[in-house]
Structures are given as C-alpha cells and as structure tokens.
Amino acid sequence: MKPQIILLGAPGSGKGTQAAQLVEKLGYTHISTGELLRKEINEGSDLGNKVKSVMDKGDLVDDDTVLELLKKNCDLENNAYIFDGFPRNYEQAKLLDNVVLKDVSKIAIYFDIDLEVIVERVTNRRVAPKSGEIYNLKTKPPKTPGKCDISGEELIQRKDDNEETVRNRLNVFKSTVDPVLEYYNKTGDLVKVDASRSPDEVMEQLLSVID
Ligand code: AMP
C-alpha cells in the first residue's frame, strides 16, 4: 500500500506543479483544498459564497468547513492521495490524522524555499482553469502568449495571486507553519526537499524520498 503524501509549503513553493507530475508518474490522486474551494465558488454554492471574501483576502477558511469539504471528496479505501494545501495549521494536522487518515501510513514533505523569492514567482503565475496546467511568465511561459500549450484555453491569473494578497498569504503561512512542521517531526513523518531547485531537480528529490 502506497503511503498517503502530504505536501507542505508556502503558496508558490511548487506543490501544485509537482503534484500534477506525481499523479502521472506514480498514479496518485491529487486533492487540493484550494482547488475544491475555488470550484465551490465557481459553482456559486452556499459554501462557495461563504468563503469567497476570506479567500480573496488570502486569509484561511475555517477548519470545520475545509475538513468537511475534504472528507466529502476523499475516498481513502480506493485511492492513494497527495494532499496539497491541507493541513494549513496545527489543528488541521491533528484533524487530518485523527479524522481522515487514522492509522494509514503517510509521509509529509516540506517544500523548503526562501520566502523572498515567492512573491515574484506567484505574481507571475498563470493557470489554465480546465487542464490545470501551471505557467510562469518568466520561467515557464506558454508557447503562445495567454494560451495553454495543451488545451489552447485562455490562461488566467488567480484572483488571490496579486502582490498584496500574496504578501498576506505568506504572512499567514509564516505564522502557522512551524507548529505543523513540529507536529510531523514528532510523528516521524517529516522530510524536506529543497524547493528552490529546478522543477526536474525537485522531482528527483521527491521520487527519492517517496521510494
Ligand atoms: P491554495 O490554492 O492552496 O493556495 O489556497 C487558496 C486559498 O484557499 C487560501 O489562501 C485559503 O484562503 C483557502 N484554503 C485552501 N486550503 C485551506 C485550508 N486547508 N485551510 C484554510 N483555508 C484554505
């Protein structure tokens, strides 16, 4: 049985990009709480309407709401998951273990990166909403400006990827990450990768820690 994978790291540390590749290479299922929440907003659901303003500011949605959404979309009997964006704080780390994973084996991988380089990375990020491809205007531009290489669809900038919101998201991250890392250090499940390296080099590190 493959271990469940938990990706930890700042917004823009490369978790989403790497998760998409791990899905292809190792047959994992990617579950991103940010994506699930954005889907609820796009569908105009009650939950989506409730969380929209919190997400636009870059603050955290309350733990109960995110946990419910996660549970609803998670079938541990039949899938090995890559959890991306959950847990975001100590409380969520405990909930993930006690309520969702229970005694299933897991590995928590921290994407270690200097937060100073993140603002530029994230403000240059563009995404293809349907194919899920992620681009960077400086380091991984699309072949045709503004269009996804794979699906041809129009690329968009996430509403919370503007500089002011990114700075707030980073502050939220800084104020919540240490207890989460301590938690997984204590459980013996924590490994770190150097996320400042190129995407291929980060993938190499990931494959060696997952094996
Ligand atoms: P992400 O796509 O992971 O960058 O998440 C985008 C936004 O969704 C965050 O800034 C939060 O507002 C919200 N969000 C995603 N995951 C969580 C979580 N586990 N707990 C609370 N809020 C979350």
Side-chain angles (χ1 to χ4, degrees):
M1 182 80 183
K2 288 192 263 198
Q4 306 289 327
I5 296 176
I6 300 162
L7 299 185
L8 305 169
S13 58
K15 302 185 301 295
T17 302
Q18 298 294 337
Q21 289 209 28
L22 286 175
V23 167
E24 272 183 28
K25 285 186 199 292
L26 304 179
Y28 273 86
T29 303
H30 181 204
I31 188 159
S32 150
T33 44
E35 280 301 324
L36 293 175
L37 289 161
R38 281 187 286 280
K39 192 162 159 260
E40 294 283 333
I41 292 176
N42 289 338
E43 286 167 357
S45 71
D46 288 348
L47 191 154
N49 293 337
K50 189 176 87 177
V51 301
K52 188 174 181 313
S53 64
V54 175
M55 284 181 70
D56 283 349
K57 278 188 277 174
D59 289 335
L60 289 185
V61 173
D62 67 281
D63 295 342
D64 289 343
T65 301
V66 187
L67 180 69
E68 279 314 306
L69 192 61
L70 186 72
K71 280 199 315 202
K72 203 173 88 185
N73 287 279
C74 203
D75 168 16
L76 280 172
E77 303 238 314
N78 297 305
N79 291 285
Y81 284 107
I82 297 174
F83 293 91
D84 170 4
F86 193 98
R88 285 289 231 276
N89 56 32
Y90 177 75
E91 204 46 49
Q92 291 186 4
K94 280 197 308 185
L95 287 170
L96 183 61
D97 263 352
N98 298 340
V99 181
V100 183
L101 296 179
K102 301 187 177 135
D103 41 18
V104 167
S105 83
K106 63 186 179 292
I107 171 170
I109 306 176
Y110 178 54
F111 280 50
D112 201 1
I113 189 167
D114 180 355
L115 299 186
E116 293 306 313
V117 305
I118 293 260
V119 175
E120 197 180 335
R121 257 202 200 187
V122 181
T123 51
N124 280 302
R125 171 161 69 186
R126 297 292 182 273
V127 295
K130 293 206 185 90
S131 71
E133 282 291 299
I134 303 171
Y135 297 86
N136 182 288
L137 296 183
K138 296 232 165 107
T139 57
K140 190 195 165 198
K143 292 192 185 105
T144 308
K147 302 261 192 255
C148 176
D149 295 349
I150 292 169
S151 61
E153 71 191 294
E154 201 78 30
L155 300 181
I156 59 157
Q157 181 175 31
R158 267 172 52 177
K159 207 169 171 203
D160 58 353
D161 276 352
N162 66 78
E163 184 166 343
E164 191 191 344
T165 310
V166 172
R167 290 196 185 281
N168 185 39
R169 287 162 65 202
L170 284 175
N171 285 335
V172 169
F173 173 77
K174 277 191 241 173
S175 66
T176 52
V177 65
D178 286 344
V180 177
L181 296 182
E182 266 164 43
Y183 177 86
Y184 288 115
N185 212 1
K186 277 201 186 128
T187 62
D189 297 312
L190 182 67
V191 291
K192 293 187 184 185
V193 293
D194 178 356
S196 65
R197 312 288 282 272
S198 72
D200 286 349
E201 288 169 324
V202 176
M203 179 50 65
E204 257 175 49
Q205 298 176 66
L206 287 172
L207 293 175
S208 81
V209 298
I210 294 165
D211 268 357

